[in-house]
Amino acid sequence: MPKFLRYLLIIIGILVIAAGCFAAFIAIRGIPHYTAEKITVKVEPTPARLERGKVLVSLLCKNCHMDEKTNKLTGRELAEVPQFGQVFSKNITNDPVYGIGKWTDGEIIYLLRTGLKPDGTYLPPYMAKVPHMSDEDVYSVISFLRSDNPWVAADKTVHPPTSPSFLTKFLCSMGIVKPFPYPKSVIPPPDTTNAVELGRYVAFNFECFSCHSEDFKTNDFLNPEKSKGFFGGGNSFKMQDGTVVQSLNLTPDEETGIGKWTEDEFVTAVKSGILPGGQHALRNPPMTPYAGLTDKEVKAVYVYLRSVPKIKNKVERNIVDK
Ligand code: HEC
Ligand code: HEC
């Protein structure tokens, strides 16, 4: 064998072994731990907060934490994101042992803002975070979680622990996804007289951008507008029957986006899931109708979406007949 070939084989051999060691390191190390700060907040559950909290939890937490068997927020298997592993959301009822009854308000707020549990465990993107939500809205979520609503009544349901996929471990180990910094100052509510600002607030906080951009893996949750294919659609969801549904293009592009939609058509689609023409419904899940948003909020999203850059991206529409 010529000398150079022998060297080449040795170099390839070393590279293969190095790659194997690296993969083993990622697999064994798992998701890195961090240090969680202690935040002291005691949320006053006013009637206004409880009411707003119910809307926010219905739109933001119920999807992933509602358990059909108990009709409470006792968690379920999230089979729709197999790329991230075998994922189970947790029991977030007020049970002191099996739920979050013993967590302080500050601990829940810290997790929702940063992704870190009190012991420093980091919850990857399959647990939603709210880095952009106003302090007042976060307090409303806490008020609801602490309330006597049947959804959060103490329950002893336990699910198996999540086993993250190699992809999840890789993304976390490389710091591609990592905890968000805790906000340095109060986050004020959006100016509701400014439609673009209100629309952006809803589009960021109610996860529209997260599902409607190219891929969860390339989303920039801290600066959503920097996400790859921002609102251009194409993110995919595995359904229980094995089919794959893709999110649609919501940019103002006339052919492949919703550039030709009227405001009314948009409000109907978002709030009731019915498409223009009235004969077809959007698949739910993943596109759960946002009946809890006000018309004003959805119209504001429409106005905001008119302001995002057009993306030409034809996504196969997956219509279900009513
Ligand atoms: C996209 C799905 C998803 C959404 C939306 C979501 N969660 Fe979660 N949540 C999860 C998953 C999955 C876990 C468990 C992750 C794990 O085990 O690594 C979790 C864990 C938690 C935990 C930690 C519980 C524990 O005992 O460790 C809390 C608290 C929580 N979620 C609260 C909320 C609240 C409040 C909301 C709404 C603002 C919310 N979650 C929205 C998926 C979600
Ligand atoms: C969990 C992921 C997810 C979230 C969150 C989400 N969507 Fe969707 N959306 C989808 C999917 C998937 C479809 C396509 C459904 C189908 O093909 O039947 C869709 C379809 C739509 C459509 C129809 C577009 C068309 O061309 O027919 C509109 C409008 C829409 N979503 C708006 C929104 C808005 C506004 C929000 C936030 C308030 C939002 N979506 C949040 C996944 C999501």
Side-chain angles (χ1 to χ4, degrees):
M1 189 189 297
K3 231 181 186 169
F4 85 90
L5 203 61
R6 205 159 52 197
Y7 286 135
L8 190 67
L9 283 179
I10 291 172
I11 291 171
I12 291 175
I14 291 173
L15 287 179
V16 167
I17 292 170
C21 290
F22 177 69
F25 167 74
I26 302 265
I28 294 166
R29 181 184 181 217
I31 297 171
H33 264 250
Y34 294 83
T35 313
E37 288 165 60
K38 278 227 165 322
I39 304 293
T40 28
V41 193
K42 183 81 195 91
V43 178
E44 198 56 54
T46 62
R49 282 179 176 163
L50 277 172
E51 198 184 314
R52 173 78 178 155
K54 167 120 205 213
V55 172
L56 290 166
V57 170
S58 311
L59 293 174
L60 280 173
C61 321
K62 186 172 164 247
N63 250 350
C64 291
H65 284 276
M66 179 55 83
D67 185 348
E68 279 176 4
K69 292 192 196 83
T70 58
N71 211 17
K72 294 183 193 170
L73 300 179
T74 49
R76 66 173 176 96
E77 183 176 357
L78 300 185
E80 60 271 41
V81 286
Q83 67 272 37
F84 292 113
Q86 195 183 21
V87 181
F88 295 90
S89 65
K90 293 263 193 294
N91 179 339
I92 57 168
T93 69
N94 278 309
D95 190 277
V97 180
Y98 301 97
I100 55 170
K102 275 213 182 113
W103 290 43
T104 65
D105 292 353
E107 285 170 343
I108 306 176
I109 294 175
Y110 194 77
L111 169 68
L112 292 178
R113 289 288 196 207
T114 66
L116 287 179
K117 301 215 294 186
D119 66 358
T121 307
Y122 170 58
L123 301 185
Y126 41 67
M127 159 60 189
K129 285 112 205 164
V130 294
H132 307 284
M133 190 181 270
S134 70
D135 283 23
E136 186 49 38
D137 273 352
V138 172
Y139 295 166
S140 297
V141 168
I142 303 295
S143 302
F144 180 81
L145 293 176
R146 298 296 196 212
S147 72
D148 55 8
N149 188 283
W151 284 2
V152 289
D155 187 290
K156 300 201 183 315
T157 302
V158 194
H159 295 282
T162 289
S163 51
S165 66
F166 182 79
L167 170 70
T168 303
K169 291 178 186 169
F170 177 79
L171 292 173
C172 295
S173 255
M174 301 308 287
I176 298 168
V177 294
K178 54 174 187 266
F180 299 136
Y182 190 79
K184 289 196 179 57
S185 48
V186 169
I187 302 186
D191 173 0
T192 53
T193 62
N194 177 334
V196 174
E197 195 184 312
L198 177 61
R200 183 188 291 114
Y201 185 84
V202 174
F204 284 12
N205 285 295
F206 294 92
E207 302 276 316
C208 319
F209 90 92
S210 155
C211 283
H212 281 276
S213 300
E214 187 175 312
D215 194 317
F216 290 120
K217 293 196 286 296
T218 47
N219 277 347
D220 187 334
F221 290 94
L222 263 194
N223 302 289
E225 284 163 349
K226 292 195 180 141
S227 298
K228 200 167 168 206
F230 184 63
F231 271 114
N235 203 348
S236 52
F237 303 85
K238 190 147 184 222
M239 299 293 100
Q240 252 159 10
D241 61 6
T243 56
V244 170
V245 177
Q246 286 190 299
S247 68
L248 295 164
N249 183 342
L250 302 186
T251 71
D253 185 68
E254 282 83 9
E255 273 79 50
T256 64
I258 57 166
K260 288 188 182 144
W261 285 40
T262 65
E263 190 180 70
D264 279 350
E265 288 171 337
F266 183 79
V267 173
T268 307
V270 175
K271 290 189 72 170
S272 65
I274 305 295
L275 281 171
Q279 275 122 44
H280 299 291
L282 290 166
R283 300 257 288 214
N284 167 24
M287 179 61 203
T288 311
Y290 283 78
L293 291 178
T294 62
D295 283 11
K296 181 176 175 176
E297 284 171 324
V298 182
K299 284 177 184 169
V301 177
Y302 178 84
V303 174
Y304 169 65
L305 287 174
R306 282 277 179 269
S307 78
V308 312
K310 288 182 187 178
I311 294 179
K312 226 173 228 341
N313 181 32
K314 175 114 193 69
V315 183
E316 261 335 297
R317 183 180 279 287
N318 206 331
I319 287 173
V320 179
D321 270 315
K322 271 292 275 179

